[in-house]
Amino acid sequence: MDDATIRFTVDGIEIEAVAGQTVIEACDAAGIYIPRLCHHPDLAPAGQCRVCTCTINGRNGAACVTPAMQGMVVENETKPLNDDRRAIIEMLFVEGNHPCVYCVASGDCELQALGYRLGLDAPKQPYLWPGRPLDTTHPDIILDHDRCILCSRCIRASRMEDGKTVFGFEGRGIAMRLNVDAQGGLGETQMAAIDRAASVCPVACIVIKRDSYKVPNGKRRFDVSPIGSDIEAKRMPRT
Amino acid sequence: MSLLDIDERILELADLVDLDRSPFDDKKAFDRPVDVGFIEGGCANEYNVRTLRDFRRHCRILVSVGACAINGGVPAMRNTIGLKECLEAVYLGGPTLEGGGMIPNDEDLPLMLDRVYPSHEVVRIDYFLPGCPPSGEAIWEGLSALLTGREPALPYQLFKYE
Amino acid sequence: MTDIELSRGPRKIVIDPVTRVEGHGKVTIRLNEAGEVEQARFHVVEFRGFERFIQGRMYWEVPVIVQRLCGICPVSHHLGAAKAMDVIAGVDQVTPTAEKMRRLMHYGQVLQSNAVNFFHLASPDLLLGFDAPVEQRNIIGVMNAFPEVGKWAIFIRKFGQQVIAATGGRRIHPRLCVPGGVNQNLSIENRDMLRKDVDQIVQWCRDALELHKSFVHSHEALHENFASFPSSYMSLVGADGGMDLYDGTLRAIDADNTPIFEGVQPADYADYIVEEVRSWSYMKFPHIRSLGREHGWYRVGPLAQLNCCAFIGTPIANAARTEFMAQGRGGLVHSTLSYHWARLICMIHCAEKIRELLFDDDLQGTDLVLTGTRRPEGVAIIEAPRGTLIHHYTVDDNDQVSGANLIVSTTNNNEAMNRSVKQVAVEYLTGHEITEGLLNHIEVAIRAYDPCLSCATHAIGQMPLVVTLEDADGAVIATRVKQ
């Protein structure tokens, strides 16, 4: 092995990482799934959602922004961590409006899929029913603020991949919301349907128009196997 | 209705349980405590609240079944608009309305709630069966778990919010 | 048990709940000075507000949202809305594969829904008797007394549900339609699975009809007169005048079988039908514009579907219709309990159509969706299991719904249901006593129309019917809740 190889353990399993990788990147490569919402492999990490929080050397930290280090001890699949993750998902469900029953993202939605994987049978916190506006000013793209979970993927994709600055946050705390860089809504921005920012949304906040429900039930991304199955499939079956 | 999707197992169900009240029979109130109550639908009017409380009083275990009971479902879409506006749109306008219309207000109609509430915001709920509706298999799993005293555990394929 | 509050003078009966219908209803009977029934009201107490809260949503979401209004006939709403969205998407005729997939789904839906109404909800009354003990008068009781009927009940419904799942991916709230088409064709595997059972299903539907006819023949007077009156009828009919539950033009006929209007295109529905709001029900009261509110009311559903069409395009159902229409002695059939007989004939028709479609290669076609030029408005009509269902939408330039108007099947029957209830009250109410018999008969009358009163999936719970008896001043004499 060369010096650049880092070894550390996740839930007692030893894995290898390359210097410069974060914990989540190393685990993805090794076939260990850490639940996440804001992290996207093609985008710079943001540490926005805290779903990927793991216990690292005894302290909790977001796996998407923690560099992999030699000999670190990571706990991922533990009850307290999954309880916290479930609580985050639950709060996201009640703070926005996420009607899975008719949502165009249902079956492809990462928020829903995490709810499934973490066994959230029903959000028990009181629903807030925000009723945020729907921006349909763009000819090809809908911006449904009711669905936004503030993951910042579109902000990062627009700036770094598309070379535009279509999206940003305004406000703080519970009042924080996604905004676009034009007074008249998305239709007045530089946004195009082929932009990376249009395809990274984990939920149904950014949706391509007239393209919904084309995939039949049973054939959508998370219909048959849980989110993370693709990563876990990479793991060599241990003999 | 989704319960009927257990198909031929309904006969097995009939052997396992006494259906104390359901839409398929003519019984209209509780006359004894029951072990398991299944609640469907959100709470939209005072009548729903009374029913729900009545169920809570008489059922040892109360299960919230389906999206409407769990989060209000599609009828809860009125929560972000307001009851008054919904009533006005339906009863004071529209292409086939004769005259000016009126908002039904007879004393024989139950009072509407300001919002459609999930059932667990009104009474304590013991178990939740998500889905719109939960499939026959999911209901069967939930029911048979409760009947045999184990915790309901839906396999991934049956665990859906839609 | 019985809860009768006697107060001085004024009298009012309430039955709450009506069980074994989908949803929640309530009946009030008012007496005049002489103590005779003056008025009977069937209240619908649930309100949704769909026409308003759908506004602002994207038009392609509507077929998926609107089907959640009803867990009993979601497919009818899904297809009705989808047909309206075809118009809005600028598609006048979907591809043969899309049309046939939708039809297959629709026939599966009508088959299973009619089976549930007949077997699970109505047959306990018909087979065990209106006055059978409450604890036996349910589908389980029927299964015990008539195992054969129990088998039909389970497997005919199951087959209908399998057809829906094969076309739309799941049994309840399937997703098949997108504006201008469908999202999948029928897999060979599903086709073969359904082919295996279809002959048996057709046969069982026929057996159920024979059984029902024997009930009719042994209760002829009851069958003919119970809660009955001549009325007008409305339904869709095909271009050739034959039964078409999926598409066609509107036809309305009066009690003497004289056409009131025919060949009416869905887009023109509002020129012919108007609705009135009454303070005591959340369900509106439609009538035919040209005839006014007193004479313009009509009935829809299986009985109307049979009365309005000239023939049925499948042989077994058509022969059954000929025999059925003979009851009318050359005219229409008006008896309210005939709804059940008619419902079984529609079931046979659907089973035959499903069989026909399962041998049609178009269902394996790959041309699924068409596009066109966007239009601002769309109306579509479909014959749901309970009758004519009208969906009407307007959409703005940003693809958001700006207006919606729905006239659902049960709404069309609102006036008729009220009249049937009144008729039963007149016949079975004696003095100021609310008897068990009165309660049962009121419920049987309502059940014939198979009303679906709310988001009807919510069936495991209380299905309330209260009957209230009032005196001439509107004060309550008695309330009875059936228990």
Side-chain angles (χ1 to χ4, degrees), chain C residues 201-454:
Chain C
I201 296 298
V202 173
Q203 187 54 48
W204 280 338
C205 291
R206 298 176 79 172
D207 294 345
L209 178 65
E210 290 310 312
L211 177 77
H212 182 62
K213 280 193 321 214
S214 66
F215 163 82
V216 172
H217 296 319
S218 54
H219 300 77
E220 267 175 5
L222 174 77
H223 189 264
E224 180 133 1
N225 302 320
F226 182 78
S228 291
F229 38 75
S231 73
S232 303
Y233 297 93
M234 184 177 82
S235 95
L236 281 182
V237 292
D240 52 7
M243 176 180 276
D244 191 342
L245 300 176
Y246 173 76
D247 212 6
T249 56
L250 273 183
R251 181 166 196 261
I253 49 178
D254 70 13
D256 303 323
N257 202 7
T258 311
I260 303 167
F261 55 73
E262 43 196 345
V264 171
Q265 293 294 338
D268 302 326
Y269 84 105
D271 297 340
Y272 295 87
I273 298 168
V274 62
E275 291 179 291
E276 175 200 0
V277 184
R278 296 181 195 164
S279 66
W280 44 269
S281 182
Y282 283 119
M283 192 182 271
K284 293 175 194 164
F285 292 81
H287 61 258
I288 293 166
R289 214 179 261 275
S290 60
L291 300 180
R293 72 168 279 208
E294 199 47 46
H295 304 289
W297 60 277
Y298 51 89
R299 292 198 275 188
V300 302
L303 183 58
Q305 288 158 359
L306 264 70
N307 275 328
C308 288
C309 72
F311 64 94
I312 300 179
T314 55
I316 304 169
N318 197 46
R321 176 182 179 270
T322 306
E323 186 184 355
F324 173 85
M325 294 308 288
Q327 290 181 98
R329 302 178 191 90
L332 299 176
V333 178
H334 292 297
S335 112
T336 296
L337 283 183
S338 288
Y339 262 94
H340 295 301
W341 189 344
R343 197 167 281 126
L344 287 164
I345 295 172
C346 291
M347 247 168 75
I348 293 175
H349 171 63
C350 290
E352 289 182 285
K353 288 302 276 188
I354 291 169
R355 180 159 62 184
E356 206 175 281
L357 283 166
L358 290 176
F359 290 88
D360 188 329
D361 293 343
D362 278 347
L363 283 168
Q364 279 74 49
T366 49
D367 202 359
L368 303 179
V369 185
L370 297 176
T371 51
T373 309
R374 260 285 320 274
R375 299 188 185 113
E377 190 166 7
V379 182
I381 305 182
I382 194 165
E383 281 297 317
R386 289 157 188 74
T388 313
L389 167 65
I390 303 169
H391 278 248
H392 176 196
Y393 302 96
T394 51
V395 174
D396 70 14
D397 292 345
N398 288 346
D399 295 335
Q400 287 176 277
V401 175
S402 55
N405 192 41
L406 260 63
I407 303 180
V408 301
S409 318
T410 298
T411 301
N412 286 306
N413 279 332
N414 202 355
E415 179 69 28
M417 286 192 295
N418 275 278
R419 287 184 186 239
S420 283
V421 168
K422 181 172 180 182
Q423 188 147 328
V424 171
V426 168
E427 184 158 353
Y428 293 91
L429 179 71
T430 43
H432 292 155
E433 282 301 304
I434 309 174
T435 59
E436 192 70 24
L438 171 71
L439 298 180
N440 288 345
H441 284 86
I442 285 177
E443 292 194 322
V444 171
I446 292 172
R447 216 170 273 152
Y449 296 94
D450 191 15
C452 115
L453 299 178
S454 69

Side-chain angles (χ1 to χ4, degrees), chain B residues 1 5 7-8 21 23-26 28 38 47 85 90-91 96 98 105-106 108 112 132 162, chain C residues 17 19-20 22 26 52 68 72 137 157 170-171 173 275 279 282 284 405 443 459 462 464 482:
Chain B
M1 274 301 151
D5 281 329
D7 298 331
E8 53 271 38
R21 280 175 55 196
F24 300 113
D25 63 35
D26 281 346
K28 299 201 188 338
F38 274 33
Y47 183 85
E85 208 171 310
V90 175
Y91 297 107
T96 46
E98 187 183 48
N105 57 355
D106 195 89
D108 280 314
M112 310 272 285
C132 183
E162 49 161 10
Chain C
T19 42
R20 281 189 284 127
E22 302 310 331
K26 181 172 172 179
R52 173 62 189 83
R68 255 84 191 177
I72 293 294
R137 200 152 31 94
R157 171 181 156 93
R170 53 189 293 194
R171 286 176 163 210
H173 302 320
E275 291 179 291
S279 66
Y282 283 119
K284 293 175 194 164
N405 192 41
E443 292 194 322
Q462 209 171 14
K482 232 176 108 180

Side-chain angles (χ1 to χ4, degrees), chain C residues 46-309:
Chain C
E46 295 281 351
F47 168 75
R48 295 269 177 261
F50 173 84
E51 288 90 338
R52 173 62 189 83
F53 66 61
I54 195 66
Q55 288 177 28
R57 294 312 312 175
M58 311 311 294
Y59 75 83
W60 48 85
E61 293 179 341
V62 176
V64 180
I65 298 176
V66 70
Q67 64 172 330
R68 255 84 191 177
L69 289 180
C70 174
I72 293 294
C73 49
V75 169
S76 313
H77 284 296
H78 183 58
L79 295 171
K83 289 203 308 172
M85 296 314 155
D86 293 344
V87 178
I88 283 169
V91 177
D92 289 324
Q93 179 61 53
V94 295
T95 66
T97 301
E99 159 113 7
K100 286 170 181 172
M101 279 299 281
R102 291 179 180 190
R103 280 184 177 270
L104 180 61
M105 180 181 246
H106 188 51
Y107 294 128
Q109 163 75 4
V110 179
L111 178 71
Q112 73 84 17
S113 178
N114 284 1
V116 168
N117 174 267
F118 181 77
F119 293 115
H120 297 75
L121 303 175
S123 80
D125 296 325
L126 303 175
L127 297 174
L128 305 173
F130 294 3
D131 297 319
V134 162
E135 52 278 8
Q136 282 164 29
R137 200 152 31 94
N138 56 46
I139 182 66
I140 306 287
V142 170
M143 287 174 179
N144 291 332
F146 304 88
E148 197 64 6
V149 178
K151 188 175 73 183
W152 302 337
I154 290 167
F155 289 104
I156 295 174
R157 171 181 156 93
K158 181 178 179 176
F159 183 78
Q161 292 291 82
Q162 285 174 324
V163 169
I164 294 168
T167 48
R170 53 189 293 194
R171 286 176 163 210
I172 302 182
H173 302 320
R175 282 187 313 108
L176 170 71
C177 302
V178 292
V182 294
N183 63 16
Q184 64 178 344
N185 61 14
L186 184 69
S187 72
I188 300 286
E189 181 194 0
N190 279 327
R191 182 197 70 187
D192 293 346
M193 183 239 342
L194 294 169
R195 273 186 189 179
K196 233 175 36 245
D197 295 332
V198 71
D199 289 336
Q200 181 66 76
I201 296 298
V202 173
Q203 187 54 48
W204 280 338
C205 291
R206 298 176 79 172
D207 294 345
L209 178 65
E210 290 310 312
L211 177 77
H212 182 62
K213 280 193 321 214
S214 66
F215 163 82
V216 172
H217 296 319
S218 54
H219 300 77
E220 267 175 5
L222 174 77
H223 189 264
E224 180 133 1
N225 302 320
F226 182 78
S228 291
F229 38 75
S231 73
S232 303
Y233 297 93
M234 184 177 82
S235 95
L236 281 182
V237 292
D240 52 7
M243 176 180 276
D244 191 342
L245 300 176
Y246 173 76
D247 212 6
T249 56
L250 273 183
R251 181 166 196 261
I253 49 178
D254 70 13
D256 303 323
N257 202 7
T258 311
I260 303 167
F261 55 73
E262 43 196 345
V264 171
Q265 293 294 338
D268 302 326
Y269 84 105
D271 297 340
Y272 295 87
I273 298 168
V274 62
E275 291 179 291
E276 175 200 0
V277 184
R278 296 181 195 164
S279 66
W280 44 269
S281 182
Y282 283 119
M283 192 182 271
K284 293 175 194 164
F285 292 81
H287 61 258
I288 293 166
R289 214 179 261 275
S290 60
L291 300 180
R293 72 168 279 208
E294 199 47 46
H295 304 289
W297 60 277
Y298 51 89
R299 292 198 275 188
V300 302
L303 183 58
Q305 288 158 359
L306 264 70
N307 275 328
C308 288
C309 72

